[in-house]
Amino acid sequence: QEKGWIAENLRLYEGFWYQPMHGLAGAMFAQEHFQARPDDVLLISTPKSGTTWLKAIIFAIMKRTCYTSCTHPLLTTNPHDCVPSFESVLFGKPPVADVDNLPSLRIFATHTPYSSLSKPILDSGCKIVYVCRDPKDVLISMWYFLAKMRSKELPPLSLEEAFDLFSRGIVGFGPFWDHVQGYWKASLECPERIFFITYEEMKRGTFLKVKRLAEFLGQPFSMEEERERVVEEIIELCSFGKLRNLEVNKNVPRNIPHLKNDAFFRKGEVGDWRNYLTPQMVERLDQITNEKLPGLF
Ligand code: A3P
């Protein structure tokens, strides 16, 4: 056990660090209870890598024929409530018992590492979308996020301390690099099953990536939809500026102490690490990245 980032002891399980209440419980749910279907979609990510954004985009792609632009659920529901995470189904939305009863074309999210995915999930043929992000931006995003959730009785976590833990792999669902490596390798072996994308690629080429994602999900945009600019509408609906300014994504409490919906929308930029990390920190993180994930970011 190691002192973790959120004032609780992280636990090492199958080579990865977990916060017991949400993290480990989510992995156990994935391994022991989840009955995958071939038409399920799983969004898998390292935390703070764009999960909220991809939840919104996948939901908007897959449900696009169900809603008009004025009645869209994303206008009134936080993306985390549109696409439940294994890490949270145990705590309410939807309750575990309901997951099996949800109609097909289900979409779920999880942070479970590839090596801990159960054989039934892997054998089910369900589609996996994996999103990751430059670890330097993940570290800064995570540092801010955890500061909001940290108990007020504890001293604030310094960036130096956060950097030290992160670079040693001690963070929920870490080591970060091993998490990404597992899905990267698997996606190269089986690209029809795993759509691997980085936050940076999504930012650089949103239009083409949304189209590719729709094809991967088996719901390509028709010529008519393209003429009607449906892709652009989805991109706009799911954009950082749009989602962040919706009432539902502001000061609304979630089912984790101190956590409100606005914590998922901070800056939404690539390269904010430049404002925080020292050259030594950058060198260390880049060194690990070049060793474990050469050429990825
Ligand atoms: P920053 O803290 O760098 O701003 P996750 O959803 O995996 O927890 O990741 C959160 C990060 O994604 C935060 O990064 C957040 O601001 C950013 N984000 C949230 N919604 C986004 C959107 N619609 N487009 C781009 N980035 C988004």
Side-chain angles (χ1 to χ4, degrees):
Q1 292 195 4
E2 284 268 357
K3 194 75 182 160
W5 279 25
I6 20 186
E8 276 157 293
N9 288 328
L10 293 182
R11 305 250 174 90
L12 196 57
Y13 174 69
E14 297 185 349
F16 288 85
W17 291 99
Y18 289 89
Q19 188 269 340
M21 276 297 280
H22 285 82
L24 195 52
M28 301 318 306
F29 175 76
Q31 288 189 336
E32 289 173 9
H33 300 288
F34 181 61
Q35 305 282 325
R37 300 177 195 161
D39 55 7
D40 282 338
V41 174
L42 295 189
L43 167 64
I44 309 186
S45 60
T46 43
K48 312 329 289 173
S49 296
T51 319
T52 314
W53 188 18
L54 267 293
K55 276 188 177 188
I57 286 185
I58 292 172
F59 184 85
I61 290 174
M62 293 195 53
K63 310 284 176 185
R64 67 185 186 268
T65 54
C66 308
Y67 309 103
T68 67
S69 50
C70 359
T71 60
H72 205 287
L74 282 166
L75 295 172
T76 48
T77 314
N78 177 271
H80 293 283
D81 297 324
C82 292
V83 176
S85 297
F86 288 165
E87 286 77 28
S88 69
V89 286
L90 300 158
F91 300 90
K93 288 182 179 174
V96 175
D98 283 355
V99 167
D100 285 341
N101 298 324
L102 289 175
S104 269
L105 294 189
R106 301 180 303 176
I107 318 169
F108 295 104
T110 180
H111 297 307
T112 304
Y114 186 75
S115 52
S116 292
L117 285 185
S118 67
K119 194 163 168 355
I121 291 182
L122 293 172
D123 290 348
S124 71
C126 71
K127 291 197 185 300
I128 293 176
V129 176
Y130 183 79
V131 63
C132 60
R133 186 181 190 187
D134 184 330
K136 302 190 291 297
D137 275 332
V138 171
L139 168 62
I140 298 304
S141 185
M142 180 75 93
W143 181 51
Y144 269 101
F145 185 78
L146 293 179
K148 288 188 188 268
M149 284 160 52
R150 195 167 166 91
S151 161
K152 302 289 170 263
E153 288 149 27
L154 291 166
L157 184 76
S158 71
L159 181 55
E160 288 69 24
E161 208 181 334
F163 163 80
D164 178 59
L165 288 166
F166 186 84
S167 56
R168 290 195 288 131
I170 305 167
V171 53
F173 309 97
F176 168 88
W177 295 270
D178 295 3
H179 200 292
V180 178
Q181 206 181 46
Y183 284 97
W184 198 24
K185 282 188 180 160
S187 74
L188 294 174
E189 280 161 22
C190 210
E192 64 286 352
R193 198 163 49 92
I194 304 181
F195 186 92
F196 183 99
I197 190 153
T198 65
Y199 182 89
E200 292 75 14
E201 287 169 334
M202 273 302 289
K203 277 276 190 184
R204 266 198 309 270
T206 317
F207 183 80
L208 282 179
K209 294 300 178 190
V210 168
K211 279 180 56 171
R212 275 284 300 110
L213 196 45
E215 285 160 20
F216 172 81
L217 295 170
Q219 301 201 13
F221 293 99
S222 65
M223 298 282 270
E224 194 186 340
E225 284 179 308
E226 292 216 20
R227 265 196 308 276
E228 289 172 359
R229 301 179 65 80
V230 176
V231 187
E232 286 89 339
E233 266 177 37
I234 287 177
I235 292 171
E236 164 59 17
L237 175 67
C238 302
S239 67
F240 181 79
K242 175 77 183 182
L243 292 181
R244 188 182 58 164
N245 286 318
L246 296 171
E247 278 312 310
V248 68
N249 294 329
K250 290 186 180 167
N251 206 15
V252 178
R254 298 202 65 74
N255 56 355
I256 298 178
H258 313 298
L259 188 63
K260 302 209 169 120
N261 282 343
D262 62 5
F264 292 97
F265 304 92
R266 191 183 64 94
K267 272 197 177 174
E269 287 172 8
V270 171
D272 190 37
W273 57 265
R274 289 193 175 80
N275 298 315
Y276 299 90
L277 300 180
T278 65
Q280 290 76 13
M281 288 172 169
V282 171
E283 194 185 340
R284 175 81 188 114
L285 294 177
D286 283 348
Q287 184 199 350
I288 309 172
T289 304
N290 291 336
E291 269 165 31
K292 298 231 170 183
L293 307 167
L296 183 57
F297 298 107

